[in-house]
Every structure is written in structure tokens, then in C-alpha cells.
Amino acid sequence: MMQKQRAKGQRESVFNNEVVSRFELYNSLFLTLPFYKVKDTGTLLPLFIKYCEDGVKNHETPAGIINAFFEKYTQNNSKKDIIDLLFRFIQYIERQVVLFDAVEDASFNKLNADEEHSALLVYLKKGIDNKALNEKIEKLIDEFSLRLVLTAHPTQFYPGSVLSIITDLTSAIKTNDISTINQLLQQLGKTPFFNKKSPTPVDEALSLAWYLENVFYFAAANIQSEIDQSLNDYNLESKKIIELGFWPGGDRDGNPNVHADSTIQVSKMLRQILFRCYYRDFRNLKRRITFRGVEDNISLVHDVLYKNAFDPNIETENIADFLIENLNKIKTTLVEDHDGLFSDLVSDLIRKVELYGSHFASLDIRQDSRVLRDVHTFCRNNKPINALYPENYDTLSEEQKIKALVFKSAKINYTEQPGSLIQDTLETIAELKQIQQSNGEMACHRFIISNCQQASDILQLMELFLWNGWTEDDLTVDFVPLFETVHDLADAAEIMETLYSHPFYKKHLAYRGGKQHIMLGFSDSTKDGGYLMANWSIFNAKVALTATADKHNIQLAFFDGRGGPPSRGGGKTHRFYASMGKEIANKNIQLTIQGQTISSQYGSIDSAEFNMEQLINAGISAGMKEKHNILLDPLHKNLLDEMATNSYESYVSLRKHPLFLSYLEKFSPLTLLSKITISSRPVKRNSGGSLKLEDLRAISFVTAWSQLKQNIPGFYGIGTALKNQENEGNWDKVVKTYQESGYFKTIIDNCMMSMSKADFSITAHFANDKEYGAFWKMLYDEFELSKTLLLKLSGHETLMENYPVEKRSISVREKIVLPLVLIQHYALEQLQSEVTEEEQQSLEKLSIRTVYGIVNAGRNLA
């Protein structure tokens, strides 16, 4: 314990010296740069920050703080002048966030130098003299995989030009190159951060592909190289462990801007970017390998890579095997005739081709079950399908529907023009085959059914494939149900039991290697049932789904829809996987990487390697130990059942409060999020009509609360649940569960992280509001209750006491963006009063611009 404390103290010291001190140094340089046509903006900003801090401490209103500042420090106080200067402050602060990110990223290796080493290597060493353990290791390696899926959720919005500056700035900071840093800060100041219009799905894909090309291409290959080396040292065969997935261009759930042509464009783009990466590597390789005996193969591979990288008219096909074959010929010649000189360069490229094939990342297709049901209905109304089904099919029970399904391939004669969503689904199903032919089967092999509520949702989709160009014998597609709400999670195992028992589905699973992918969504389950119930529902669903799969001898792969913040499943994700017991399938880790999680955890090769290694370590450790999860013992399970129910009731009571949505609409920028030009996806699923909670996207919901600095979805109800247990005399049982269960401890730790990013003192003046004062106090009281009892449970004096570096990072970031929060509240408050149309536009724009910096600084806020 003393050693751990010393390590924490050393990390904190490194953080203060390497990050905080250097940020303050470079920030002072940054503030003197005359970027923006407004004299002394950089000089006024520190004074404004101090005014904001003092005003919040005194519970003053944003308008009071800002007006007092302008009266004291500026001469022209017209509304236009105030708004203009506030815009300049925002522009500086946005770039301060980037600067802090770059400084922190530059110190990444120093901060994480003593973190855990390869779990795989540890177990391989242990297995040398233990045959049973060695066989277990081999089996786990054969089955284990890590799939990271990049999604285009709208909290990642830096254009490629800014990402490149950040990368260069990080490199310059590593070496304290002041001259280059100064130039890059000037470039940063003059470079636009945002698009003037919303990106298309293809634009989003191109933006995220920057990370594939500049980070994952290298990081995943480096980790795979280490794995290969470890396995080779112990005479074990190499095994591809890392897979990459991609959602932009394929995820059309609630996004009417994604069409079949978007999917085709993105698949082509991913292929072309990958071959440019290959070509770049091959050019370096070609400069070294200038020997006799390899000329023909070098020339052949060079021509093929060049055409696939740069010729838009080439007829594309999956050429991964061709490349591997010819690269191996080059490697063999080097080993046999040239002492293996530079053969490591060829091995590295072979490894990358084996990892990424001709596709780079698997493009997932996702659509809502309600849309897919409409498509099935449309097809059934056309010949010859209409003769196979009863007219009253839609009114049949679930059991009767499943019995009525025929699973016959057919060519439909459409007599009417389908609606846009139906047309898109039909075209996408047909185009999937072409993508697989061009880029390989792995390029696009999963169709995710969101809001999946019954087995027929899956089976009907399979029929749609059979009616649109596919046959039973070539159905190279995995059908992935996505269970999201608390109710759907409870029914998930029963739905899968029906599917596993169905003859057609059973045969299809056998054809697909007996492996079932199931996606579980945190975002909507948290919005639906609150933080604790969401986590507990997913845990129980995983246990039940694993038991059902084991019963049918199915290999189960859970795909977790984990967002950036704890309220959307984020936080210390590797700890969740490490804490799984043998009752939960854990040999395939699959999770979404989205929003600021992409830039904060996978924004550089160093950080990406580190975070992938942690997930692999968690999976290997859990797979080898296969401990029984103590949360399934009656004592702990009953306790968590009761706590989850109490928390759920508390949260639902809040959600049903008549002021719940109107509070968000009035005090947060929720209604303005649709005007933010960072996403192709609408804020809510139903574009028309009044705002309803069920239509509101979870990401918009969480973002609104984070902008308020209240983070309700990340903790609400947990204080009430703990208090009830304390009142019933069960506190010792709760403490015992916390101490013995890694899973429950991680839930608590992530909850405390979420609360660390909340600051109710910013909105303390709401307590005086005649309409919403009591509602604000209800939120505040639950926060204080939760904080008090979580500290008591953990035995800590402050939130995140166990993570001093992360806590300090949050503190600095929150200080940087405090003025943005107050400017946002000021703008929203002004919009409640009488303003001209011109003033309204300016104030709306002012409020919207603050969202970017606040979310970015939080890194996993939304």
C-alpha cells in the first residue's frame, strides 16, 4: 500500500511539473499573441477568469458577474461590444483547451511509465512448467479479440487541420522547442476550429479516418507486433487479436442523412486511405531494399499499391492475400540471400496487411427495428411475397409471426415507390454484397438492429436479405441485436433463446462459426433508468445471455456501446472488463470509441497503445482467472437488486417531474444543439413536434446536463439508494460489497468521476428562481447526499482521492472553461428577455460556441 501511495505521489509530482507548470508557461506566451482585431483581449482574459471565479464563490448571477466586469475594465458597454469581446474570450479559451491537451499528451509516457505490464507475457511465463495452464493460455489466445469501433457521435469536431496542429504541437512540447511552439500557437490562433455548415456523414467519416490513418494504423500494428513476439518466444502461433470497426456512413439509426451511397462512399474512402498508408510504408521499404533477386516482386507490389491508392477508376477487389503472398516472397529472398537485412520492414507491412486487409475497419450497418418492420411490411405487400403471408400478419402474436416466416429467396416486383427510409434499407442490403466483393467480407459483415424488442426483429431482417439479392448459402452477414432500455435488457435472454432454438437461425449461426454478437447500449438505458439501474441491468443481462449461449454451445461476443462519460458507460472501462467473472462471456471485448474519448484516449500513438494494452490486459486477466463474480451471491445480488430499484424509482420520479424537460430547455443549450455544425445527426429522432424525452438522443440529453455542470445522468438516485440501505441497517453489507466486488467498485469510482465534473455553485442562484428554485434544490440535495455517502463508502475525504492526477487534470480543465459556462448562461438568460432579431442571433451563436470548448475540455463529458 505504501508503494502504491508513493507511486501516486510521484505521478502527481510529474503531472504538476510536466503538465501544469509547462501549460502555465506556454499559456503566458499564448496570451500575448495578437490574434483577433481586439486590442488587449489576451490581457483582459486573466482578469475575466478571476472575476468569474470570485463571482461563482459569491453565488452571483452570470449577468451580474459579466456586467460588473465590463463596467470596471472596459469603456464601451453596448450589447454589441459586450458580445463581441465575449466571442474573443471564447476563441482564446477554445485554444487554451487545445494547448492543455497537447501539454498533457506530450507528458503521457512519463505519467504512465510505471503502469502494469503485459498480462499475456506474465501468464506465458507462468505456463512454462505448467502444462494445464499452458493449454488454457493457448485456448484463450485462440479465442480472444479486441474490437474498437469508432463512432461519429457529435462530440468530436476538430477538423483535420487542427488535429495536425495538435499532433505537431505535442511533438514540439515534448522537446521544449519554443520557436516551433510559438509558430504553432500562432497557426492555431488563425486556424478555424469549426465548419460553417453541418458535415455530411461522409465528412464525418473522413474526419474520423484521420485517427485511423495517423494513429490506429501504427498503434494497433505495434501492439500486434509485441503480441507476435511474445507468442513466438514461447513457440506459439501468431494470432490476430485487434480488430477495428467504423460507424460513420453505416449508422443510419435516426439519421436521415445517411444513405446507401454514403455507405458506398465511406467503404471506398476507407479502402483508399488504407492503400495510401500501405504505399507510404512500401516506398520507405523500397528505398532500403535495393538488392538483386527481389526486383520483380518489388515492382509488382509497388504498381498494385500505387493503383489502389491513387487510381479512382480501378476495379476494386480484395487483394490482401495477393499482397501477403508477394511480400512473403520478398521476405524469403531477403532471409535466404541477404542475411535477412531489412526483412523486419517487410514483416511489419505483412502484419499490417494481415490486420487491415483491404478494408482498414469493418463498417457496421445500424438501423432501428421500427424502420426495419416497415420495410418488411412494404416487401410483403408486393409480388410474389404477398402470396406467402396472411393479410393479418401484422396483428399476429410474436409466436404466430415467427411460425409464418418462410425464409425463401425471392425477387420482388415492386409496384409502388417506397419511402426514403425503406428505399435506403433495400439499397443498402443489396450494396453490402458489392462492398464485401471489393474490400473483403470483413469490410462490412454486421447489421445492428437498434431498439431490438423481439426475435422477429432479427428473423424478419434476415428475410429482407433473402428478398434482396442474397441466398441462404451466401449470407455472410452477422445479425446483431442491440438491447438498450431497462425493459429490453430484461427480455434479452428470452429473445436469444427463441433465436438459438429457431431452425433457420440455428443453421445460419453454425455457418457463421457458432459466434453471436450482441450489442448492449449504455446511453439509452441510463436515460431510461438512471446510472445505477443501467449498470446493474446490463450486468444481469450479460449473465443471463451468457447462460443462454452456453446452453446452446454458442460463442458469445458482447459489443458494448460505451460513450465517453460514465453516464454513457465510459470512465475506467478496462476495470469493468477485468472485474467480469466466469458467468459473463469475456473472450471478445468490443466497445464503441466516441466523442472526446477518441481524442483523449486514442489521440496519439502513445495513448492509443496504452489504452489498447490496458483493455487486452483486462481481457486476458479475466479470461485466465475466470473468477466467480461475487455479485451473484444472494447477499450481494439482493443488495444490488434493492439499491438499483431504489435508485431507479428516485430517477424515474425526477424524470416524470413536470419541470424536468422545461428546466433543461430553459437553462441549458438543449434547444440550440440542433444548430451546432458538428454533426450530420439530428438532436432527436422525431424531427417534428414538441420535444419528448423518449425522442431525445441520449448524447444530447447527457450533453445538456454536462453544460449545466450538474451531470445528473451520472449519479442521480445513487445517494437515495445508499441512504435507504443505511436506514435499514445494511451499511456494513454495502461496504463489504464495495470492498469485495471490482465491478461495483468501478461503478462507484466512475460515479465519483462524473460528480467531480459537476459544480452546483455555478447555478446556486437558481435556488432563488420562483418557478425552478425548488427543482434545483432537489437536484442539489441528491448531489450532496450522493457525495456524502460515496465518500463514506469509499473511506475517502474527497472525490477521486484514488486518482490524484486525473483529479488535478479535471480541476485545471474546469478552471479554464469556467468563463465559457458563465458566458453560456449569460447568453441563455439574455435570450429570455426582450431582444432584437439581430441580438437573438448573436446570443444564440454565443451560447452555441461555448458548447464546443466545454465538451472538449471535459474530454468525456458527452
Side-chain angles (χ1 to χ4, degrees):
M1 181 64 74
M2 185 64 72
Q3 195 171 8
K4 281 187 178 181
Q5 288 298 117
R6 193 178 297 118
K8 282 180 192 173
Q10 287 172 347
R11 281 191 79 222
E12 200 169 2
S13 176
V14 170
F15 186 83
N16 286 329
N17 292 331
E18 295 290 332
V19 180
V20 179
S21 297
R22 285 209 284 180
F23 169 70
E24 289 172 353
L25 173 66
Y26 298 138
N27 188 42
S28 62
L29 170 67
F30 180 64
L31 287 173
T32 62
L33 298 176
F35 296 136
Y36 308 110
K37 300 179 185 175
V38 176
K39 189 180 178 183
D40 299 330
T41 306
T43 308
L44 285 171
L45 182 56
L47 298 171
F48 183 62
I49 292 171
K50 183 71 170 64
Y51 238 75
C52 290
E53 290 173 349
D54 292 343
V56 166
K57 283 179 187 173
N58 297 327
H59 296 174
E60 295 172 22
T61 67
I65 295 168
I66 288 172
N67 289 333
F69 170 80
F70 275 89
E71 284 175 15
K72 183 169 183 178
Y73 291 106
T74 65
Q75 295 176 336
N76 300 319
N77 291 331
S78 69
K79 281 188 177 180
K80 187 178 183 306
D81 290 329
I82 290 175
I83 290 173
D84 191 49
L85 184 54
L86 292 178
F87 265 118
R88 306 307 169 207
F89 284 158
I90 291 171
Q91 289 173 311
Y92 265 94
I93 293 168
E94 286 168 346
R95 286 155 178 79
Q96 282 181 315
V97 171
V98 169
L99 176 60
F100 188 77
D101 284 349
V103 173
E104 198 167 42
D105 289 345
S107 307
F108 187 87
N109 286 339
K110 290 182 181 178
L111 284 168
N112 298 286
D114 298 323
E115 285 291 333
E116 56 198 278
H117 299 291
S118 168
L120 175 60
L121 205 53
V122 170
Y123 283 110
L124 285 171
K125 286 178 181 176
K126 287 181 180 177
I128 293 175
D129 300 317
N130 186 330
K131 186 179 178 183
L133 180 61
N134 194 55
E135 288 175 355
K136 190 175 180 182
I137 294 167
E138 286 193 50
K139 188 173 187 298
L140 177 60
I141 291 167
D142 186 53
E143 295 177 345
F144 183 78
S145 66
L146 168 66
R147 178 181 290 210
L148 300 177
V149 182
L150 277 68
T151 73
H153 287 308
T155 56
Q156 176 54 49
F157 46 79
Y158 286 142
S161 56
V162 174
L163 290 172
S164 298
I165 295 171
I166 294 171
T167 301
D168 294 341
L169 184 59
T170 301
S171 298
I173 289 171
K174 279 183 179 179
T175 57
N176 285 319
D177 183 350
I178 298 294
S179 176
T180 301
I181 291 168
N182 185 43
Q183 286 185 325
L184 290 169
L185 288 176
Q186 291 186 60
Q187 183 186 357
L188 190 68
K190 293 178 178 293
T191 302
F193 266 38
F194 314 108
N195 305 310
K196 289 190 175 180
K197 61 179 183 178
S198 295
T200 67
V202 177
D203 293 333
E204 289 176 328
L206 190 59
S207 177
L208 272 190
W210 186 93
Y211 291 97
L212 287 178
E213 180 180 3
N214 295 283
V215 178
F216 285 97
Y217 178 76
F218 300 103
N222 290 345
I223 290 177
Q224 188 65 50
S225 175
E226 291 175 13
I227 291 168
D228 290 347
Q229 185 62 53
S230 297
L231 295 176
N232 184 59
D233 289 345
Y234 290 88
N235 299 313
L236 294 174
E237 277 189 39
S238 174
K239 164 67 168 59
K240 174 184 169 182
I241 282 183
I242 300 169
E243 300 170 359
L244 299 176
F246 206 70
W247 272 21
D251 178 17
R252 58 248 301 133
D253 175 20
N255 190 347
N257 299 309
V258 179
H259 306 292
D261 63 330
S262 311
T263 305
I264 291 291
Q265 283 185 61
V266 171
S267 70
K268 288 179 177 178
M269 179 202 73
L270 288 174
R271 188 183 195 282
Q272 189 170 41
I273 288 174
L274 173 63
F275 276 96
R276 287 179 181 176
C277 289
Y278 288 160
Y279 181 73
R280 179 181 60 201
D281 277 3
F282 192 78
R283 280 185 62 193
N284 294 332
L285 181 153
K286 187 180 174 185
R287 290 177 66 184
R288 300 280 79 84
I289 302 174
T290 51
F291 321 136
R292 294 195 184 280
V294 294
E295 302 95 335
D296 290 346
N297 289 117
I298 288 279
S299 178
L300 178 63
V301 174
H302 178 273
D303 289 347
V304 168
L305 288 177
Y306 182 84
K307 286 177 182 175
N308 280 272
F310 300 107
D311 185 352
N313 299 315
I314 191 173
E315 191 170 327
T316 55
E317 59 180 322
N318 180 17
I319 59 169
D321 289 342
F322 169 85
L323 289 173
I324 291 170
E325 179 187 349
N326 283 279
L327 287 169
N328 271 317
K329 287 179 181 177
I330 295 170
K331 181 179 174 182
T332 299
T333 303
L334 294 178
V335 171
E336 292 179 353
D337 300 340
H338 301 287
D339 302 317
L341 189 60
F342 301 127
S343 63
D344 57 327
L345 296 179
V346 186
S347 295
D348 179 63
L349 186 52
I350 290 171
R351 183 179 298 109
K352 286 169 180 171
V353 178
E354 288 174 341
L355 277 174
Y356 311 125
S358 294
H359 64 281
F360 215 157
S362 293
L363 186 59
D364 286 344
I365 307 298
R366 183 172 76 137
Q367 184 55 283
D368 190 277
S369 63
R370 289 163 289 194
V371 173
L372 298 175
R373 288 173 208 156
D374 290 343
V375 180
H376 193 264
T377 300
F378 175 80
C379 290
R380 285 197 326 270
N381 289 335
N382 288 275
K383 294 180 179 181
I385 304 299
N386 57 357
L388 300 175
Y389 287 87
E391 289 186 10
N392 67 336
Y393 176 86
D394 286 325
T395 64
L396 297 178
S397 68
E398 170 71 355
E399 187 179 352
Q400 290 171 324
K401 280 182 180 177
I402 292 175
K403 283 182 180 178
L405 298 172
V406 294
F407 301 105
K408 288 186 178 180
S409 295
K411 184 172 177 59
I412 302 176
N413 299 314
Y414 297 113
T415 56
E416 57 180 305
Q417 185 65 30
S420 59
L421 285 177
I422 294 174
Q423 180 74 31
D424 170 66
T425 303
L426 296 175
E427 288 180 359
T428 301
I429 288 172
E431 293 290 0
L432 276 183
K433 184 171 291 212
Q434 180 56 49
I435 294 174
Q436 289 194 356
Q437 288 171 355
S438 298
N439 297 10
E441 183 187 314
M442 285 296 291
C444 193
H445 68 99
R446 302 202 305 186
F447 200 120
I448 300 165
I449 302 94
S450 57
N451 192 39
C452 186
Q453 297 178 327
Q454 50 208 19
S456 59
D457 287 334
I458 300 280
L459 297 173
Q460 288 179 172
L461 176 59
M462 296 178 81
E463 284 203 311
L464 293 179
F465 272 76
L466 298 180
W467 299 340
N468 290 277
W470 297 75
T471 66
E472 180 183 345
D473 295 331
D474 73 352
L475 196 48
T476 50
V477 177
D478 297 307
F479 298 94
V480 185
L482 167 51
F483 302 111
E484 300 176 85
T485 66
V486 171
H487 181 269
D488 291 346
L489 287 164
D491 292 343
E494 186 179 339
I495 291 170
M496 296 313 299
E497 172 67 37
T498 302
L499 287 171
Y500 296 149
S501 304
H502 191 279
F504 185 82
Y505 194 78
K506 193 174 183 179
K507 186 178 178 182
H508 176 71
L509 266 191
Y511 172 62
R512 299 299 292 159
K515 185 173 183 178
Q516 174 68 54
H517 303 252
I518 296 178
M519 187 174 182
L520 303 171
F522 270 85
S523 300
D524 281 300
S525 52
T526 308
K527 190 186 79 164
D528 179 48
Y531 178 74
L532 184 57
M533 178 57 92
N535 279 283
W536 188 234
S537 295
I538 288 171
F539 176 87
N540 286 322
K542 282 189 172 184
V543 172
L545 286 165
T546 301
T548 305
D550 289 345
K551 174 184 166 185
H552 291 271
N553 199 28
I554 301 296
Q555 184 187 347
L556 192 56
F558 286 121
F559 175 26
D560 291 312
R562 292 179 172 275
S567 54
R568 287 178 48 238
K572 301 285 183 181
T573 52
H574 65 283
R575 296 187 186 277
F576 273 109
Y577 292 112
S579 66
M580 297 297 149
K582 62 184 180 181
E583 295 83 3
I584 292 178
N586 56 18
K587 292 183 175 68
N588 303 101
I589 293 178
Q590 302 184 11
L591 67 156
T592 54
I593 307 295
Q594 53 192 270
Q596 269 53 55
T597 309
I598 298 173
S599 55
S600 63
Q601 296 185 11
Y602 300 90
S604 69
I605 295 172
D606 290 340
S607 61
E609 284 186 31
F610 174 81
N611 284 293
M612 282 191 274
E613 283 172 352
Q614 284 208 313
L615 287 168
I616 291 170
N617 286 345
I620 295 288
S621 299
M624 290 303 297
K625 293 175 185 174
E626 289 191 335
K627 285 183 178 178
H628 165 69
N629 198 307
I630 62 104
L631 288 183
L632 295 172
D633 296 340
L635 170 70
H636 304 293
K637 187 177 187 311
N638 293 340
L639 187 75
L640 263 294
D641 280 340
E642 197 173 318
M643 285 180 62
T645 300
N646 291 159
S647 175
Y648 177 73
E649 289 169 352
S650 174
Y651 176 79
V652 170
S653 175
L654 171 70
R655 204 182 66 189
K656 290 181 177 178
H657 194 289
L659 296 180
F660 184 72
L661 263 186
S662 64
Y663 177 86
L664 268 185
E665 287 182 288
K666 180 174 181 178
F667 294 116
S668 83
L670 178 63
T671 55
L672 298 176
L673 292 180
S674 60
K675 298 182 180 182
I676 293 181
T677 57
I678 62 172
S679 173
S680 67
R681 184 185 298 274
V683 170
K684 57 193 180 101
R685 284 184 168 87
N686 178 15
S687 57
S690 59
L691 182 65
K692 295 178 182 176
L693 185 61
E694 57 268 28
D695 292 331
L696 186 62
R697 290 199 160 277
I699 195 165
S700 307
F701 179 70
V702 171
T703 298
W705 285 113
S706 70
Q707 296 292 303
L708 275 165
K709 289 298 167 192
Q710 293 176 356
N711 293 349
I712 295 301
F715 74 87
Y716 199 91
I718 204 163
T720 296
L722 288 169
K723 187 63 178 175
N724 287 350
Q725 292 304 313
E726 185 181 52
N727 292 343
E728 291 173 17
N730 293 333
W731 188 255
D732 289 344
K733 293 179 182 177
V734 179
V735 172
K736 182 178 171 66
T737 304
Y738 174 78
Q739 291 172 343
E740 294 183 356
S741 169
Y743 185 86
F744 183 55
K745 189 174 188 302
T746 304
I747 290 174
I748 296 301
D749 285 352
N750 280 342
C751 182
M752 289 197 279
M753 180 197 293
S754 188
M755 295 178 71
S756 294
K757 298 180 181 184
D759 185 355
F760 275 80
S761 62
I762 293 172
T763 53
H765 60 282
F766 287 6
N768 302 320
D769 189 284
K770 289 181 181 179
E771 185 177 3
Y772 293 96
F775 183 81
W776 178 88
K777 192 167 187 311
M778 184 172 70
L779 302 178
Y780 175 68
D781 288 346
E782 180 67 19
F783 176 85
E784 286 297 311
L785 178 64
S786 299
K787 181 179 175 182
T788 299
L789 292 175
L790 287 172
L791 291 176
K792 181 180 178 181
L793 175 62
S794 61
H796 296 162
E797 293 183 6
T798 59
L799 295 173
M800 292 189 72
E801 190 175 298
N802 261 6
Y803 305 100
V805 168
E806 289 84 349
K807 179 181 176 181
R808 182 83 170 98
S809 175
I810 290 171
S811 173
V812 175
R813 290 172 179 279
E814 293 301 317
K815 180 176 180 178
I816 292 171
V817 297
L818 176 62
L820 295 185
V821 180
L822 293 178
I823 290 171
Q824 181 186 107
H825 289 186
Y826 166 81
L828 292 172
E829 188 181 321
Q830 295 298 304
L831 285 167
Q832 304 287 327
S833 58
E834 290 288 329
V835 291
T836 66
E837 187 175 339
E838 184 181 350
E839 287 172 344
Q840 180 178 338
Q841 289 179 352
S842 295
L843 289 166
E844 285 184 356
K845 187 180 176 185
L846 190 68
S847 177
I848 288 166
R849 279 297 299 273
T850 61
V851 173
Y852 302 123
I854 295 169
V855 170
N856 239 13
R859 284 206 153 179
N860 67 352
L861 270 179

